Amino acid sequence: MDGFETLIYEKSDHIAYVTLNRPQALNVYNIQMRDDLYQVLGAIKDDSEVRVVIFRGAGEKAFCAGADLSEFLSAPSPIVARQARFGRDVWGLFLSIPQPLIAAVHGYVLGSGIEIMLCCDIRIASEDAKFGLPEGGLGILPAAGGTQTLPRAIGMARALEMLLANRRLSSEDAYSTGLVNQVVPKNKLLETAEEMAKKIASLDPMVVRNAKQAVLRGLDLSLSEGLELERRLAMGLRGCKTELGER
Ligand code: COA
């Protein structure tokens, strides 16, 4: 799969790499990127060879500086522009991917950039990363899941501070609030993400998928429902292994 205008998609040894590739515009998210991501995510979801995915941004300055404001502002109206941008449920698709997703972020991680990162399961930041949600000041709400995924990651009060007071976080702040798993020097960012990806890719893919499902789906359940889900997933795995063993 290649030939995308706004992304680079690569695969190697069960690891897929998705690179946001508009470095001249700080990798901002436009309608073409939405369409490209939709295609790539659909392919990843159906590809059993892919066991783990790394998301990153091209260029020195940004993972992604948010929505493309030139496109947004030149549309007939903000409402029409937003409908066009979010008509395809790329965010629902993102959150339904069964394989673990690792975000390796650097530089500006703003607006849709932070929301893309929040759709990923493990987040690694370089020391120069800067996080923020400027949507409020632009008169809009984040619409790529940010109002839901951010408080789940860093808690309600901190999420509201970012949303309403445009609080920006440095990489150290992001680490101390739990927004990212670790912070590394910029020249170690890809290497660290790849080490993590290789560990995950070396495990039984069904174990990995079921563990991700148990944790993610469990977050929206009561403890007793979550325990039931865990039991079913563990039994399913055992059943599957017994069946394979019997053949
Ligand atoms: N939409 C469209 N283009 C954008 C953009 C955006 N959100 N953010 C940056 N760009 C473009 C700039 O227009 C510039 O293009 P040019 O070289 O053709 O003039 C290029 O990316 C580099 O940006 P620049 O502003 O020169 O870099 P900087 O280092 O001085 O500043 C930021 C970086 C991120 C502080 C600044 O670009 C910014 O505030 N961007 C807007 C962030 C935002 O509000 N995002 C929307 C969230 S919903």
Side-chain angles (χ1 to χ4, degrees):
M1 256 189 121
D2 54 16
F4 295 107
E5 220 176 278
T6 65
L7 302 177
I8 302 169
Y9 182 63
E10 295 156 302
K11 266 195 322 184
S12 163
D13 294 335
H14 299 298
I15 302 172
Y17 297 80
V18 180
T19 307
L20 310 182
N21 190 33
R22 302 185 69 208
Q24 71 290 352
L26 309 185
N27 300 321
V28 292
Y29 181 82
N30 63 359
I31 290 175
Q32 186 61 49
M33 189 180 284
R34 178 211 52 193
D35 290 343
D36 290 349
L37 260 181
Y38 196 81
Q39 243 183 290
V40 160
L41 290 170
I44 287 171
K45 192 172 178 174
D46 293 338
D47 189 342
S48 58
E49 271 182 24
V50 174
R51 296 186 181 177
V52 55
V53 186
I54 296 176
F55 284 83
R56 57 191 178 133
E60 282 301 306
K61 285 178 71 174
F63 171 65
C64 169
D68 188 326
L69 295 176
S70 64
E71 188 177 76
F72 180 75
L73 295 173
S74 65
S77 79
I79 293 168
V80 171
R82 275 174 87 71
Q83 276 169 351
R85 194 185 312 283
F86 299 111
R88 269 183 163 180
D89 186 14
V90 71
W91 311 108
L93 179 57
F94 229 126
L95 295 169
S96 75
I97 302 294
Q99 301 98 322
L101 311 177
I102 299 174
V105 304
H106 71 283
Y108 293 105
V109 188
L110 304 177
S112 318
I114 203 170
E115 294 179 287
I116 290 173
M117 182 189 82
L118 283 162
C119 288
C120 295
D121 308 300
I122 295 170
R123 299 151 203 151
I124 302 168
S126 67
E127 288 163 345
D128 72 333
K130 295 170 270 298
F131 302 85
L133 280 171
E135 279 90 340
L138 298 167
I140 54 175
L141 283 184
T147 63
Q148 302 307 304
T149 51
L150 186 64
R152 280 167 168 78
I154 64 173
M156 185 263 293
R158 287 193 178 108
L160 281 174
E161 194 184 7
M162 288 187 77
L163 274 164
L164 302 180
N166 197 11
R167 164 94 196 269
R168 301 282 169 118
L169 301 185
S170 65
S171 55
E172 300 90 70
D173 297 333
Y175 177 70
S176 63
T177 56
L179 184 60
V180 301
N181 295 64
Q182 57 176 309
V183 177
V184 298
K186 198 168 177 183
N187 62 358
K188 299 274 182 222
L189 183 62
L190 182 59
E191 187 183 318
T192 310
E194 278 180 328
E195 267 171 34
M196 177 94 65
K198 281 179 188 157
K199 272 188 203 154
I200 294 171
S202 71
L203 301 176
D204 178 337
M206 279 314 293
V207 170
V208 173
R209 284 172 183 235
N210 281 19
K212 171 168 170 171
Q213 212 187 129
V215 172
L216 259 63
R217 284 179 54 202
L219 281 175
D220 292 327
L221 300 174
S222 68
L223 181 58
S224 57
E225 288 167 334
L227 290 172
E228 175 55 24
L229 170 69
E230 183 189 74
R231 195 185 62 79
R232 270 189 284 118
L233 288 167
M235 295 281 286
L237 206 57
R238 226 172 287 148
C240 179
K241 288 201 163 157
T242 314
E243 216 172 280
L244 286 173
E246 281 166 359
R247 274 187 203 151

